[in-house]
Amino acid sequence: MILTKAQYDEIAQCLVSVPPTRQSLRKLKQRFPSQSQATLLSIFSQEYQKHIKRTHAKHHTSEAIESYYQRYLNGVRKNGAAPVLLELANEVDYAPSLMARIILERFLQKHEEAPPSKSVINSMLRDPSQIPDGVLANQVYQCIVNDCCYGPLVDCIKHAIGHEHEVLLRDLLLEKNLSFLDEDQLRARGYDKTPDFILQVPVAVEGHIIHWIESKASFGDECSHHAYLHDQFWSYWNRITTNQKFSQEKMSARSSTLPSCQNSDT
């Protein structure tokens, strides 16, 4: 199903004042019943990530970090089992997983001799049982499992969906008997940055010649298209599409100079 820009803008506008919760997603589905859950979730996630990028700096001032940490400490003193960190994140309109990272870093800075490394922080967020404080471990866990846009759990889901789409695409190419090279084969040939598949024989789709395919398991809005063009697609176009066109023209020119073979009775 094709989503028009007007339809996208209507959904995006509806998301302006919607908190990033599963309840909000249910309401969004009720508002736009013709759109799939996957489409709405992808748009929801992208729009929320834009909001987080716009407001990221204000949550990382030293004053904000200290304020959040003291509020967390006061909250767990009153009731360590309550979702203090999750409620704090929702109150200040910040992603729960990112709020958990802020508090975890601040906690480790206070209790460890050396500043925590990024790899240590990431490892603890992936597995909160590594956090040397049971109350904080539980608070971080609550944030991770209740965040539908950020965090290690979301990253795993995105990775799994991306891999699934690549497998489905590979099966479809095989079903259509199309000759292609995948990423592993391309890297073995020395390509440093590659699309998911290069078609060894380009095909025409709706009047366009397709040389390569890049599968994205998220919604392609205007902003992400510009980013993908800059980071990936133009390099694919310059290195792959242009080279294939040159090779085809060279082969065509070479074949036109070959002598024709005719049957002879002698």
Side-chain angles (χ1 to χ4, degrees), residues 4 27 54-55 66 69 77 91 98 103 122 131 156 180 202 225 234 263:
T4 66
K27 293 177 182 178
R54 289 193 297 267
T55 60
E66 194 58 33
Y69 188 61
R77 283 193 197 103
E91 181 185 332
L98 300 183
I103 301 303
N122 290 338
I131 298 173
C156 287
F180 62 86
H225 276 312
W234 285 131
N263 291 329

Side-chain angles (χ1 to χ4, degrees), residues 7 33 145 201 206 211 225 259 263:
Q7 289 173 316
V145 298
V201 180
E206 297 182 357
H211 295 261
H225 276 312
N263 291 329

Side-chain angles (χ1 to χ4, degrees), residues 7 22 54 59 100 107 130 146 151 178 199 228 252 256 265:
Q7 289 173 316
R22 290 176 175 81
R54 289 193 297 267
H59 297 289
F107 171 85
Q130 297 179 23
N146 285 285
L178 297 176
L199 300 181
Y228 290 141
S252 177
S256 66
D265 294 334

Side-chain angles (χ1 to χ4, degrees), residues 96-131:
S97 293
L98 300 183
M99 178 60 75
R101 176 182 285 273
I102 287 176
I103 301 303
L104 177 59
E105 287 181 350
R106 179 66 181 82
F107 171 85
L108 293 175
Q109 286 171 1
K110 182 178 179 180
H111 292 82
E112 302 290 335
E113 294 182 359
S117 67
K118 186 176 180 180
S119 62
V120 168
I121 296 291
N122 290 338
S123 179
M124 289 183 176
L125 289 172
R126 285 193 297 268
D127 179 11
S129 67
Q130 297 179 23
I131 298 173

